[in-house]
Amino acid sequence: DLETGHTGAPARAHALFDNRRIREFPVLLRGEAGNRGDMVPRRFLEVLGCEDRPKYSKKSSGRLQLAQAIADPTNPLTARVLVNRVWQQHFGEGFVATPDDLGNMSSIPTHPKLLDYLAAEFVENGWSIKALHRQILLSATYQQSSDANENYAEIDPNNHLLWRANLRRLDIEEVHDSMLAMAGMLDTSEIGGKPVHIGSAEFAERRAVYTWIDRQNPAELFTQFDFPSPDIASGRRYETIVPQQSLFLMNSPLVIETARALVQTPGFEQAKNNRQRVQELYLQIFQRPPTEREFELCAQYLRSIPRGAALEMPKPTRMSQAMSKGAKRQVAQAKRMQMSGGRARGQLEPAAAAFPNRDPINGWTKLAHALFQTNEAMFVN
């Protein structure tokens, strides 16, 4: 806890070093520690490589040689596995549907020649993942629309031939970072540092990649959005649709306060009329201007809310003041957990320490909050 949470703790990083105690190990017959077989000299796995690979030196554990064999340009498996996972990240499904298994038991690649081509290019480009991303994103295949085509859908209903873009829901980390970026709240200047607890105020500023994960008790927010178990390796996240996801977007103070911050940005406050304000919201959230029909719906919605077109905040009510008592308890618990680096006795609200007050929101904030919850904001289209 001291090394993780104290402000004076030095920076830490995972590192791999050679084992000082070098020795041979026997085969454990039937996996039983007490039933030992012949000693086996250290070398690369024969099932994954050629039989003529030399045995490792007696002066080293073989870790370096193993890493060199895995990343050897003549080893086609490593490049294919990584290319398949990057492709899966952008298209929702890889060339091989089982990213953890590209062996005899896996499914057949949908585009074997393209997989081989990208793997060869990946190695020739110095194993540059950034170059691989650029190559995929600049392709005509990635830049296709997700619009349906009845003729193509009849031939290839599952879109294995990639005749359109697949709709893909944002992961929870992407939802978190996208909302903060829309409202100008995301801190992109600070790189690295100590982990951020989900209940702390920093959770409403820092990228989700810095979130502290408790393997035994992962945050409820992450598990509701299909965050994989930290205890096991997982090459792919499986999407589910459950009511808790919508309830989080509807009720979480993190989402509501982010919507409030969005209508307090200089671009929105400097807008001269309602049309410009609606356009500013659409540009920030959807990266496009609203259609005439969408503007009419937004204007109708604002007119239906008392004082909906006003920019000033309504006065706090007794209900909001009563709600803030529960918020203060969450804030206190979040601060205790942040100071001790320990576990929460239950699930904390995301960024509870940042939002102790639950003031009423005006009509423009409600509109921004509603737009946050649309499929266009939550899906890659």
Side-chain angles (χ1 to χ4, degrees), residues 256 259-261 263 313 361-370:
I256 296 172
R260 194 199 303 270
V263 300
M313 295 299 301
I361 56 178
N362 60 17
W364 287 104
T365 303
K366 290 182 179 180
L367 176 60
H369 185 203

mmCIF file with all atom_site columns, all heavy atoms in Angstrom, residues 256 259-261 263 313 361-370:
data_model
loop_
_atom_site.group_PDB
_atom_site.id
_atom_site.type_symbol
_atom_site.label_atom_id
_atom_site.label_alt_id
_atom_site.label_comp_id
_atom_site.label_asym_id
_atom_site.label_entity_id
_atom_site.label_seq_id
_atom_site.pdbx_PDB_ins_code
_atom_site.Cartn_x
_atom_site.Cartn_y
_atom_site.Cartn_z
_atom_site.occupancy
_atom_site.B_iso_or_equiv
_atom_site.pdbx_formal_charge
_atom_site.auth_seq_id
_atom_site.auth_comp_id
_atom_site.auth_asym_id
_atom_site.auth_atom_id
_atom_site.pdbx_PDB_model_num
ATOM 1   N N   . ILE A 1 256 ? -23.526 12.859 -15.842 1.00 0.00 ? 256 ILE A N   1
ATOM 2   C CA  . ILE A 1 256 ? -24.321 14.089 -15.729 1.00 0.00 ? 256 ILE A CA  1
ATOM 3   C C   . ILE A 1 256 ? -23.424 15.308 -15.608 1.00 0.00 ? 256 ILE A C   1
ATOM 4   O O   . ILE A 1 256 ? -23.634 16.334 -16.273 1.00 0.00 ? 256 ILE A O   1
ATOM 5   C CB  . ILE A 1 256 ? -25.277 13.990 -14.527 1.00 0.00 ? 256 ILE A CB  1
ATOM 6   C CG1 . ILE A 1 256 ? -26.286 12.856 -14.745 1.00 0.00 ? 256 ILE A CG1 1
ATOM 7   C CG2 . ILE A 1 256 ? -25.998 15.316 -14.294 1.00 0.00 ? 256 ILE A CG2 1
ATOM 8   C CD1 . ILE A 1 256 ? -27.151 12.551 -13.539 1.00 0.00 ? 256 ILE A CD1 1
ATOM 9   N N   . ALA A 1 259 ? -21.794 16.156 -18.855 1.00 0.00 ? 259 ALA A N   1
ATOM 10  C CA  . ALA A 1 259 ? -22.738 16.891 -19.709 1.00 0.00 ? 259 ALA A CA  1
ATOM 11  C C   . ALA A 1 259 ? -22.842 18.342 -19.263 1.00 0.00 ? 259 ALA A C   1
ATOM 12  O O   . ALA A 1 259 ? -22.916 19.261 -20.091 1.00 0.00 ? 259 ALA A O   1
ATOM 13  C CB  . ALA A 1 259 ? -24.107 16.214 -19.667 1.00 0.00 ? 259 ALA A CB  1
ATOM 14  N N   . ARG A 1 260 ? -22.821 18.576 -17.944 1.00 0.00 ? 260 ARG A N   1
ATOM 15  C CA  . ARG A 1 260 ? -22.869 19.957 -17.438 1.00 0.00 ? 260 ARG A CA  1
ATOM 16  C C   . ARG A 1 260 ? -21.625 20.734 -17.884 1.00 0.00 ? 260 ARG A C   1
ATOM 17  O O   . ARG A 1 260 ? -21.708 21.897 -18.270 1.00 0.00 ? 260 ARG A O   1
ATOM 18  C CB  . ARG A 1 260 ? -22.969 19.938 -15.914 1.00 0.00 ? 260 ARG A CB  1
ATOM 19  C CG  . ARG A 1 260 ? -23.366 21.308 -15.316 1.00 0.00 ? 260 ARG A CG  1
ATOM 20  C CD  . ARG A 1 260 ? -23.007 21.376 -13.837 1.00 0.00 ? 260 ARG A CD  1
ATOM 21  N NE  . ARG A 1 260 ? -23.611 20.307 -13.056 1.00 0.00 ? 260 ARG A NE  1
ATOM 22  C CZ  . ARG A 1 260 ? -24.802 20.387 -12.461 1.00 0.00 ? 260 ARG A CZ  1
ATOM 23  N NH1 . ARG A 1 260 ? -25.523 21.470 -12.566 1.00 0.00 ? 260 ARG A NH1 1
ATOM 24  N NH2 . ARG A 1 260 ? -25.263 19.374 -11.744 1.00 0.00 ? 260 ARG A NH2 1
ATOM 25  N N   . ALA A 1 261 ? -20.469 20.063 -17.819 1.00 0.00 ? 261 ALA A N   1
ATOM 26  C CA  . ALA A 1 261 ? -19.230 20.731 -18.239 1.00 0.00 ? 261 ALA A CA  1
ATOM 27  C C   . ALA A 1 261 ? -19.243 21.047 -19.728 1.00 0.00 ? 261 ALA A C   1
ATOM 28  O O   . ALA A 1 261 ? -18.661 22.049 -20.171 1.00 0.00 ? 261 ALA A O   1
ATOM 29  C CB  . ALA A 1 261 ? -18.029 19.854 -17.892 1.00 0.00 ? 261 ALA A CB  1
ATOM 30  N N   . VAL A 1 263 ? -21.746 22.042 -21.580 1.00 0.00 ? 263 VAL A N   1
ATOM 31  C CA  . VAL A 1 263 ? -22.494 23.264 -21.874 1.00 0.00 ? 263 VAL A CA  1
ATOM 32  C C   . VAL A 1 263 ? -21.890 24.476 -21.164 1.00 0.00 ? 263 VAL A C   1
ATOM 33  O O   . VAL A 1 263 ? -22.484 25.555 -21.179 1.00 0.00 ? 263 VAL A O   1
ATOM 34  C CB  . VAL A 1 263 ? -23.981 23.110 -21.497 1.00 0.00 ? 263 VAL A CB  1
ATOM 35  C CG1 . VAL A 1 263 ? -24.611 21.984 -22.279 1.00 0.00 ? 263 VAL A CG1 1
ATOM 36  C CG2 . VAL A 1 263 ? -24.145 22.884 -20.003 1.00 0.00 ? 263 VAL A CG2 1
ATOM 37  N N   . MET A 1 313 ? -28.096 28.424 -13.952 1.00 0.00 ? 313 MET A N   1
ATOM 38  C CA  . MET A 1 313 ? -28.482 27.227 -13.228 1.00 0.00 ? 313 MET A CA  1
ATOM 39  C C   . MET A 1 313 ? -29.696 27.503 -12.351 1.00 0.00 ? 313 MET A C   1
ATOM 40  O O   . MET A 1 313 ? -29.805 28.565 -11.743 1.00 0.00 ? 313 MET A O   1
ATOM 41  C CB  . MET A 1 313 ? -27.322 26.749 -12.346 1.00 0.00 ? 313 MET A CB  1
ATOM 42  C CG  . MET A 1 313 ? -26.111 26.302 -13.139 1.00 0.00 ? 313 MET A CG  1
ATOM 43  S SD  . MET A 1 313 ? -26.504 24.922 -14.213 1.00 0.00 ? 313 MET A SD  1
ATOM 44  C CE  . MET A 1 313 ? -27.065 23.743 -13.006 1.00 0.00 ? 313 MET A CE  1
ATOM 45  N N   . ILE A 1 361 ? -30.002 20.423 -12.787 1.00 0.00 ? 361 ILE A N   1
ATOM 46  C CA  . ILE A 1 361 ? -29.392 20.760 -14.075 1.00 0.00 ? 361 ILE A CA  1
ATOM 47  C C   . ILE A 1 361 ? -30.407 21.490 -14.944 1.00 0.00 ? 361 ILE A C   1
ATOM 48  O O   . ILE A 1 361 ? -31.620 21.289 -14.827 1.00 0.00 ? 361 ILE A O   1
ATOM 49  C CB  . ILE A 1 361 ? -28.881 19.499 -14.796 1.00 0.00 ? 361 ILE A CB  1
ATOM 50  C CG1 . ILE A 1 361 ? -30.004 18.482 -14.981 1.00 0.00 ? 361 ILE A CG1 1
ATOM 51  C CG2 . ILE A 1 361 ? -27.740 18.858 -14.011 1.00 0.00 ? 361 ILE A CG2 1
ATOM 52  C CD1 . ILE A 1 361 ? -29.577 17.242 -15.729 1.00 0.00 ? 361 ILE A CD1 1
ATOM 53  N N   . ASN A 1 362 ? -29.891 22.333 -15.824 1.00 0.00 ? 362 ASN A N   1
ATOM 54  C CA  . ASN A 1 362 ? -30.787 23.092 -16.683 1.00 0.00 ? 362 ASN A CA  1
ATOM 55  C C   . ASN A 1 362 ? -31.119 22.294 -17.939 1.00 0.00 ? 362 ASN A C   1
ATOM 56  O O   . ASN A 1 362 ? -30.639 21.174 -18.147 1.00 0.00 ? 362 ASN A O   1
ATOM 57  C CB  . ASN A 1 362 ? -30.180 24.454 -17.036 1.00 0.00 ? 362 ASN A CB  1
ATOM 58  C CG  . ASN A 1 362 ? -28.859 24.301 -17.776 1.00 0.00 ? 362 ASN A CG  1
ATOM 59  O OD1 . ASN A 1 362 ? -28.533 23.234 -18.292 1.00 0.00 ? 362 ASN A OD1 1
ATOM 60  N ND2 . ASN A 1 362 ? -28.096 25.374 -17.828 1.00 0.00 ? 362 ASN A ND2 1
ATOM 61  N N   . GLY A 1 363 ? -31.944 22.884 -18.806 1.00 0.00 ? 363 GLY A N   1
ATOM 62  C CA  . GLY A 1 363 ? -32.420 22.178 -19.987 1.00 0.00 ? 363 GLY A CA  1
ATOM 63  C C   . GLY A 1 363 ? -31.313 21.819 -20.954 1.00 0.00 ? 363 GLY A C   1
ATOM 64  O O   . GLY A 1 363 ? -31.331 20.744 -21.569 1.00 0.00 ? 363 GLY A O   1
ATOM 65  N N   . TRP A 1 364 ? -30.332 22.705 -21.128 1.00 0.00 ? 364 TRP A N   1
ATOM 66  C CA  . TRP A 1 364 ? -29.245 22.420 -22.054 1.00 0.00 ? 364 TRP A CA  1
ATOM 67  C C   . TRP A 1 364 ? -28.397 21.245 -21.572 1.00 0.00 ? 364 TRP A C   1
ATOM 68  O O   . TRP A 1 364 ? -27.958 20.415 -22.367 1.00 0.00 ? 364 TRP A O   1
ATOM 69  C CB  . TRP A 1 364 ? -28.382 23.663 -22.245 1.00 0.00 ? 364 TRP A CB  1
ATOM 70  C CG  . TRP A 1 364 ? -29.041 24.711 -23.070 1.00 0.00 ? 364 TRP A CG  1
ATOM 71  C CD1 . TRP A 1 364 ? -29.614 25.872 -22.638 1.00 0.00 ? 364 TRP A CD1 1
ATOM 72  C CD2 . TRP A 1 364 ? -29.233 24.670 -24.485 1.00 0.00 ? 364 TRP A CD2 1
ATOM 73  N NE1 . TRP A 1 364 ? -30.147 26.568 -23.699 1.00 0.00 ? 364 TRP A NE1 1
ATOM 74  C CE2 . TRP A 1 364 ? -29.919 25.852 -24.849 1.00 0.00 ? 364 TRP A CE2 1
ATOM 75  C CE3 . TRP A 1 364 ? -28.901 23.764 -25.478 1.00 0.00 ? 364 TRP A CE3 1
ATOM 76  C CZ2 . TRP A 1 364 ? -30.271 26.142 -26.158 1.00 0.00 ? 364 TRP A CZ2 1
ATOM 77  C CZ3 . TRP A 1 364 ? -29.247 24.041 -26.798 1.00 0.00 ? 364 TRP A CZ3 1
ATOM 78  C CH2 . TRP A 1 364 ? -29.923 25.223 -27.126 1.00 0.00 ? 364 TRP A CH2 1
ATOM 79  N N   . THR A 1 365 ? -28.174 21.166 -20.261 1.00 0.00 ? 365 THR A N   1
ATOM 80  C CA  . THR A 1 365 ? -27.438 20.025 -19.721 1.00 0.00 ? 365 THR A CA  1
ATOM 81  C C   . THR A 1 365 ? -28.218 18.740 -19.934 1.00 0.00 ? 365 THR A C   1
ATOM 82  O O   . THR A 1 365 ? -27.643 17.686 -20.262 1.00 0.00 ? 365 THR A O   1
ATOM 83  C CB  . THR A 1 365 ? -27.155 20.233 -18.230 1.00 0.00 ? 365 THR A CB  1
ATOM 84  O OG1 . THR A 1 365 ? -26.444 21.456 -18.044 1.00 0.00 ? 365 THR A OG1 1
ATOM 85  C CG2 . THR A 1 365 ? -26.325 19.087 -17.668 1.00 0.00 ? 365 THR A CG2 1
ATOM 86  N N   . LYS A 1 366 ? -29.534 18.798 -19.765 1.00 0.00 ? 366 LYS A N   1
ATOM 87  C CA  . LYS A 1 366 ? -30.368 17.613 -19.998 1.00 0.00 ? 366 LYS A CA  1
ATOM 88  C C   . LYS A 1 366 ? -30.297 17.181 -21.459 1.00 0.00 ? 366 LYS A C   1
ATOM 89  O O   . LYS A 1 366 ? -30.273 15.977 -21.761 1.00 0.00 ? 366 LYS A O   1
ATOM 90  C CB  . LYS A 1 366 ? -31.816 17.910 -19.608 1.00 0.00 ? 366 LYS A CB  1
ATOM 91  C CG  . LYS A 1 366 ? -32.043 18.071 -18.113 1.00 0.00 ? 366 LYS A CG  1
ATOM 92  C CD  . LYS A 1 366 ? -33.512 18.304 -17.798 1.00 0.00 ? 366 LYS A CD  1
ATOM 93  C CE  . LYS A 1 366 ? -33.727 18.437 -16.292 1.00 0.00 ? 366 LYS A CE  1
ATOM 94  N NZ  . LYS A 1 366 ? -35.148 18.660 -15.956 1.00 0.00 ? 366 LYS A NZ  1
ATOM 95  N N   . LEU A 1 367 ? -30.258 18.152 -22.371 1.00 0.00 ? 367 LEU A N   1
ATOM 96  C CA  . LEU A 1 367 ? -30.158 17.805 -23.784 1.00 0.00 ? 367 LEU A CA  1
ATOM 97  C C   . LEU A 1 367 ? -28.815 17.147 -24.082 1.00 0.00 ? 367 LEU A C   1
ATOM 98  O O   . LEU A 1 367 ? -28.752 16.119 -24.778 1.00 0.00 ? 367 LEU A O   1
ATOM 99  C CB  . LEU A 1 367 ? -30.340 19.063 -24.644 1.00 0.00 ? 367 LEU A CB  1
ATOM 100 C CG  . LEU A 1 367 ? -30.165 18.863 -26.152 1.00 0.00 ? 367 LEU A CG  1
ATOM 101 C CD1 . LEU A 1 367 ? -31.178 17.858 -26.684 1.00 0.00 ? 367 LEU A CD1 1
ATOM 102 C CD2 . LEU A 1 367 ? -30.278 20.196 -26.896 1.00 0.00 ? 367 LEU A CD2 1
ATOM 103 N N   . ALA A 1 368 ? -27.730 17.728 -23.558 1.00 0.00 ? 368 ALA A N   1
ATOM 104 C CA  . ALA A 1 368 ? -26.405 17.124 -23.761 1.00 0.00 ? 368 ALA A CA  1
ATOM 105 C C   . ALA A 1 368 ? -26.347 15.725 -23.157 1.00 0.00 ? 368 ALA A C   1
ATOM 106 O O   . ALA A 1 368 ? -25.791 14.793 -23.745 1.00 0.00 ? 368 ALA A O   1
ATOM 107 C CB  . ALA A 1 368 ? -25.324 18.015 -23.150 1.00 0.00 ? 368 ALA A CB  1
ATOM 108 N N   . HIS A 1 369 ? -26.967 15.574 -21.973 1.00 0.00 ? 369 HIS A N   1
ATOM 109 C CA  . HIS A 1 369 ? -27.011 14.268 -21.317 1.00 0.00 ? 369 HIS A CA  1
ATOM 110 C C   . HIS A 1 369 ? -27.770 13.257 -22.164 1.00 0.00 ? 369 HIS A C   1
ATOM 111 O O   . HIS A 1 369 ? -27.362 12.087 -22.288 1.00 0.00 ? 369 HIS A O   1
ATOM 112 C CB  . HIS A 1 369 ? -27.676 14.430 -19.941 1.00 0.00 ? 369 HIS A CB  1
ATOM 113 C CG  . HIS A 1 369 ? -27.671 13.181 -19.129 1.00 0.00 ? 369 HIS A CG  1
ATOM 114 N ND1 . HIS A 1 369 ? -28.584 12.958 -18.121 1.00 0.00 ? 369 HIS A ND1 1
ATOM 115 C CD2 . HIS A 1 369 ? -26.896 12.073 -19.180 1.00 0.00 ? 369 HIS A CD2 1
ATOM 116 C CE1 . HIS A 1 369 ? -28.349 11.771 -17.572 1.00 0.00 ? 369 HIS A CE1 1
ATOM 117 N NE2 . HIS A 1 369 ? -27.338 11.215 -18.202 1.00 0.00 ? 369 HIS A NE2 1
ATOM 118 N N   . ALA A 1 370 ? -28.862 13.682 -22.781 1.00 0.00 ? 370 ALA A N   1
ATOM 119 C CA  . ALA A 1 370 ? -29.638 12.781 -23.641 1.00 0.00 ? 370 ALA A CA  1
ATOM 120 C C   . ALA A 1 370 ? -28.839 12.374 -24.875 1.00 0.00 ? 370 ALA A C   1
ATOM 121 O O   . ALA A 1 370 ? -28.879 11.217 -25.300 1.00 0.00 ? 370 ALA A O   1
ATOM 122 C CB  . ALA A 1 370 ? -30.950 13.454 -24.047 1.00 0.00 ? 370 ALA A CB  1
#
